[in-house]
Amino acid sequence: MSSRIPWPNRELIIYIFRSTGWIGFLYLIGLMFALPLQILTYILNEKNEFVEFENLFSSQQMIQFVLVIVIPVLLAIFLFRFLQIKQASDFIHSLPITRRTVYLHMVGMGFLFLALPIIFTGSILILFQSAIDIERLFSLADIWSWMGITFILEAVIFSVAVFIGMITGLSALQGLLTYIFLALPVGLFVLFAANMKFFLTGFSADYYLRTNLTGISPLLAATEMEKITFFSSQTVIYALLTLLLSFLSLVIYQRRKLEHVSQAFVFPKLKPLFQFGLTICMLLFSGFYFSETTGERGWIFFGYVIGSLFGYYLGEIVLQKTWRIKFKLKGYLVFTMIIIVLAIILKIDPIQYKSNIPDKREISQIYIGSSPLYFEDETTYIGPTFLKEKGNIEAVTLLHQEIIEKGKTVSVGELNDGQSVFIMYQLKDGKRIAREYHLQNYESYLPLLAKIYESSEYKKTVNELLNVAAKDVTNIRIKASGQVDKSVTIKDGHQLQEAVQALSEDLKNQSLSQMTNSFGDYATIDIYLENNKIIYMNWDSSFTQFSKWMEQTGKADEARLVASDISYILIAKTDSPIYNSVSAEELARQIEQKPNRLKINTLSEIDTLIANAQVEWSGEYVAVYHYKDSRDVDIKSFSGDHVPDFVLDHFNE
């Protein structure tokens, strides 16, 4: 029907204001409490110089977050509520107004209800800023940035909610699907990444999940609004997405059939898409759940089956709006066949993902470690985080090749059931190739791993001290381990130089075994640098040069745990009740009650135990240290070649 009423339509605007204007007013009240009133309390506070105020987004941050994600969805639901109610739909569409005119009025008023409270609040903040000296709290640029970022986030959420409202005939479903749609990119990415490792050997879910995903979803972006820059690619994308969804919503609205009110989906072709989408999401979530809780392949595939059945059934309930439904086996079998075909394709690996090792000539640098969680950790090391030397690049690619070759006959662990190795290639063209393997036969790779980890270049990436000059060290504090109050501070320039040199030599001489397993917990070492940074180290039995130097200075016994600090040590064989103990005191009580426990109180044997003990409780034998000057106890353990002979002799009797 052609419009006979001029634009803009005053009566329609009044109708919209009466039906949904309260949401804009509610939004304004919320912003008043979140910003002007809160900031006013800072201004009136006589001790406001001690008030911590980061930015405008931090003022009542939770209130602002709720307003940003809730108000736009409420507006979209109530503005287009007439599409879900037959009487209201008949009334609006009986007016001599085109659908385009109705839509533009509704959407225009929606944007206005979002913008006016922001403008009004911003005006008050500008008044505060110009009339009162509060430059230290926020500037004029901060106000404009807050206004722009808040509006663009709300605009994109509003446009998504309007778009969903055009394809559904239920208000409740519109709200639910809006939040699902907003979270879907991140949710699907996480679920696919978490499940992909079961089908692609070497796929590193943790590496991809470390990616900053907040920009993908406006919902996540709303949790960190202070990190958004107004003039950035992120806000441009949100603005373009708002325009695109607004245009698509208009096109869909003009083609929507009015008789489809109160239906879950007004376009029948969307129903199978929704059902299969829900089914695959539940399948992936259930598989992910059982992988995290059990880690067993059988349970994971059980989760896939249960999740897909539940998702398919839930989809039918939503579409038919009743739980009393007849299960459509044919549709579920079609879905199952599609999933099986996709799984087979992944296993066949047509793109050769599993066997892909870049050519050494294309590699710029390599990162290798036990986990991608420490990849490019800028706060940890001064030295380079990548290996660039030709020898190390060749060693890493050789290791990677051996993992692939052995993986053809021996599982390299698609689940988290073995020692992990993470490899990340940085190619000369800027691309990255990341792989992660959980090696069940880890010992067979130790020779190759030792060649890499014992290299001088690698040690510089994991030991900050090797990248520090002695002249940059201001003092070194050594504090004895355990329940002992002993410490030594070194400040003399010559001694500092000797200490740094001794520690550096020990780090350079460490074997792979010494790097990964620490025995002999003597003391902690804090190295203070001129730039106010502190390097933390542990002094253990592998630090032979430093131990010798400390003995020469005569300060060793003053700085480290020695036999004379301990009254006696109780030792017992490790069993599962001991291993599962939750506290040192509980474990000590259990060892006290062991009939075959070994008590050591001679200084020479205590000294041997100190030198061979490990901090972890998972050794073959567990020990309780009882100190002379403290009632507290410490728990250590012994394993492998580090179990003293007198301990073995006692328990082998």
Side-chain angles (χ1 to χ4, degrees):
M1 182 181 295
S2 61
S3 175
R4 305 194 208 108
I5 300 178
W7 174 274
N9 188 288
R10 181 173 176 272
E11 286 74 17
L12 188 55
I13 291 174
I14 294 174
Y15 167 81
I16 295 171
F17 185 80
R18 287 177 176 175
S19 61
T20 56
W22 62 273
I23 299 177
F25 182 73
L26 180 66
Y27 181 35
L28 177 61
I29 296 298
L31 288 180
M32 289 292 105
F33 277 101
L35 284 159
L37 291 178
Q38 182 67 28
I39 292 171
L40 191 60
T41 61
Y42 292 156
I43 297 172
L44 298 178
N45 185 358
E46 294 180 357
K47 299 180 179 181
N48 67 81
E49 64 271 14
F50 302 109
V51 173
E52 293 186 5
F53 188 87
E54 297 179 11
N55 49 64
L56 291 173
F57 295 106
S58 67
S59 177
Q60 295 293 341
Q61 190 171 18
M62 182 54 66
I63 294 179
Q64 290 196 63
F65 170 72
V66 172
L67 291 174
V68 166
I69 69 170
V70 171
I71 293 298
V73 178
L74 277 179
L75 265 176
I77 290 174
F78 281 93
L79 280 170
F80 291 94
R81 175 71 174 159
F82 66 90
L83 292 176
Q84 280 86 36
I85 302 174
K86 188 176 187 306
Q87 294 86 346
S89 177
D90 292 341
F91 168 72
I92 292 294
H93 295 107
S94 65
L95 297 175
I97 308 174
T98 62
R99 291 195 186 187
R100 180 176 177 275
T101 301
V102 172
Y103 175 83
L104 292 177
H105 275 77
M106 295 291 179
V107 171
M109 289 297 291
F111 283 126
L112 196 63
F113 287 147
L114 293 175
L116 286 179
I118 294 174
I119 294 172
F120 188 79
T121 304
S123 299
I124 295 177
L125 295 177
I126 292 173
L127 182 63
F128 282 173
Q129 204 274 337
S130 59
I132 309 171
D133 183 21
I134 53 173
E135 185 70 26
R136 68 177 188 83
L137 293 180
F138 56 87
S139 64
L140 192 61
D142 293 331
I143 299 173
W144 289 113
S145 178
W146 172 83
M147 293 171 64
I149 292 170
T150 302
F151 178 75
I152 197 66
L153 272 176
E154 291 180 340
V156 71
I157 294 174
F158 175 72
S159 64
V160 170
V162 171
F163 176 78
I164 297 298
M166 296 302 109
I167 62 176
T168 182
L170 299 172
S171 296
L173 190 60
Q174 179 184 357
L176 177 63
L177 289 179
T178 296
Y179 291 113
I180 291 176
F181 188 88
L182 287 167
L184 193 62
V186 174
L188 281 178
F189 180 85
V190 171
L191 289 176
F192 272 113
N195 284 271
M196 196 63 68
K197 61 183 178 182
F198 308 137
F199 302 96
L200 281 178
T201 303
F203 183 86
S204 177
D206 290 335
Y207 171 73
Y208 291 102
L209 292 178
R210 288 182 68 256
T211 307
N212 185 4
L213 303 176
T214 54
I216 299 177
S217 169
L219 283 182
L220 291 182
T223 64
E224 299 180 347
M225 290 187 288
E226 69 279 1
K227 296 182 179 180
I228 302 175
T229 305
F230 183 67
F231 294 104
S232 64
S233 58
Q234 184 178 354
T235 53
V236 171
I237 291 172
Y238 285 164
L240 293 176
L241 188 60
T242 300
L243 295 174
L244 177 62
L245 289 174
S246 298
F247 174 74
L248 290 176
S249 299
L250 173 59
V251 174
I252 294 172
Y253 175 49
Q254 290 177 324
R255 298 182 180 181
R256 176 183 173 126
K257 294 182 179 180
L258 301 182
E259 61 270 19
H260 286 162
V261 294
S262 300
Q263 292 189 15
F265 291 95
V266 297
F267 297 98
K269 292 182 179 180
L270 291 177
K271 293 181 180 180
L273 181 63
F274 165 78
Q275 186 167 21
F276 285 117
L278 180 61
T279 304
I280 197 167
C281 286
M282 292 304 301
L283 176 147
L284 294 172
F285 175 78
S286 184
F288 171 69
Y289 171 80
F290 281 102
S291 73
E292 293 298 310
T293 54
T294 68
E296 297 180 9
R297 190 177 302 279
W299 279 107
I300 293 171
F301 284 102
F302 171 77
Y304 286 150
V305 174
I306 293 299
S308 62
L309 284 170
F310 178 74
Y312 191 84
Y313 182 76
L314 184 62
E316 285 290 338
I317 291 176
V318 173
L319 292 175
Q320 298 184 30
K321 294 187 295 184
T322 177
W323 62 272
R324 303 172 71 176
I325 62 170
K326 183 179 179 181
F327 191 81
K328 297 178 180 179
L329 184 61
K330 182 180 178 181
Y332 179 75
L333 290 177
V334 171
F335 170 81
T336 304
M337 292 303 298
I338 293 173
I339 295 299
I340 291 174
V341 169
L342 291 175
I344 292 174
I345 292 174
L346 284 174
K347 275 296 181 183
I348 293 174
D349 190 18
I351 62 172
Q352 300 298 303
Y353 178 90
K354 301 175 187 178
S355 59
N356 181 26
I357 300 178
D359 190 290
K360 290 189 286 288
R361 293 169 296 183
E362 299 176 354
I363 300 172
S364 171
Q365 52 192 3
I366 296 177
Y367 172 88
I368 183 171
S370 60
S371 168
L373 298 179
Y374 302 103
F375 169 63
E376 285 189 326
D377 185 355
E378 297 178 356
T379 63
T380 305
Y381 309 122
I382 290 178
T385 57
F386 287 90
L387 303 178
K388 300 178 181 179
E389 293 180 359
K390 183 179 179 181
N392 278 325
I393 291 177
E394 290 179 351
V396 173
T397 54
L398 183 62
L399 170 68
H400 193 181
Q401 183 64 48
E402 185 165 334
I403 291 173
I404 293 172
E405 289 299 321
K406 287 185 177 180
K408 295 176 181 178
T409 55
V410 180
S411 173
V412 296
E414 294 161 354
L415 306 176
N416 298 334
D417 52 3
Q419 293 278 356
S420 62
V421 172
F422 173 75
I423 302 171
M424 207 287 298
Y425 299 98
Q426 176 83 52
L427 304 184
K428 292 179 180 179
D429 61 4
K431 294 180 181 178
R432 289 178 173 179
I433 297 176
R435 297 291 186 270
E436 184 177 11
Y437 301 95
H438 301 277
L439 308 176
Q440 295 173 319
N441 50 342
Y442 186 75
E443 291 75 15
S444 65
Y445 300 99
L446 287 179
L448 280 173
L449 288 169
K451 185 177 180 181
I452 300 166
Y453 290 155
E454 292 175 7
S455 69
S456 175
E457 184 186 26
Y458 179 82
K459 287 184 176 181
K460 286 184 178 180
T461 71
V462 296
N463 296 298
E464 188 173 352
L465 185 63
L466 297 180
N467 301 286
V468 172
K471 61 181 179 61
D472 296 327
V473 178
T474 59
N475 65 85
I476 298 176
R477 185 173 184 268
I478 308 166
K479 186 180 185 306
S481 298
Q483 311 301 325
V484 180
D485 186 18
K486 297 194 304 183
S487 65
V488 168
T489 300
I490 302 171
K491 294 183 178 180
D492 178 75
H494 181 66
Q495 287 190 332
L496 285 174
Q497 184 174 359
E498 291 181 339
V500 170
Q501 183 178 352
L503 287 169
S504 298
E505 286 298 318
D506 285 327
L507 291 173
K508 292 175 182 178
N509 295 331
Q510 276 186 330
S511 65
L512 174 59
S513 175
Q514 292 171 329
M515 293 168 66
T516 54
N517 301 291
S518 177
F519 294 95
D521 184 21
Y522 294 158
T524 59
I525 304 174
D526 298 344
I527 303 173
Y528 295 82
L529 306 181
E530 286 186 343
N531 58 2
N532 295 323
K533 191 170 183 178
I534 305 174
I535 300 174
Y536 301 99
M537 299 177 63
N538 288 322
W539 176 10
D540 61 33
S541 58
S542 70
F543 284 55
T544 55
Q545 296 296 322
F546 183 72
S547 297
K548 187 184 298 183
W549 180 80
M550 287 294 293
E551 291 287 347
Q552 292 173 354
T553 62
K555 297 180 180 180
D557 289 353
E558 302 174 28
R560 53 156 285 192
L561 178 66
V562 294
S564 59
D565 297 321
I566 296 175
S567 176
Y568 63 92
I569 297 175
L570 296 179
I571 304 173
K573 255 193 170 181
T574 302
D575 53 27
S576 57
I578 286 180
Y579 186 76
N580 292 324
S581 297
V582 294
S583 68
E585 291 74 16
E586 180 186 341
L587 198 153
R589 284 193 296 269
Q590 292 185 26
I591 293 177
E592 289 276 1
Q593 298 168 4
K594 289 280 182 179
N596 194 33
R597 60 180 171 76
L598 172 63
K599 183 175 181 178
I600 302 294
N601 52 22
T602 59
L603 291 179
S604 60
E605 290 182 336
I606 290 177
D607 193 55
T608 301
L609 291 174
I610 291 174
N612 288 278
Q614 63 188 58
V615 176
E616 295 81 10
W617 299 2
S618 55
E620 301 164 39
Y621 300 88
V622 65
V624 184
Y625 286 20
H626 289 267
Y627 296 91
K628 290 181 178 179
D629 299 327
S630 175
R631 293 184 178 181
D632 294 327
V633 297
D634 273 336
I635 305 297
K636 309 290 182 180
S637 70
F638 306 91
S639 60
D641 297 335
H642 290 270
V643 181
D645 291 338
F646 57 84
V647 175
L648 291 173
D649 292 341
H650 173 83
F651 288 99
N652 288 335
E653 291 178 353

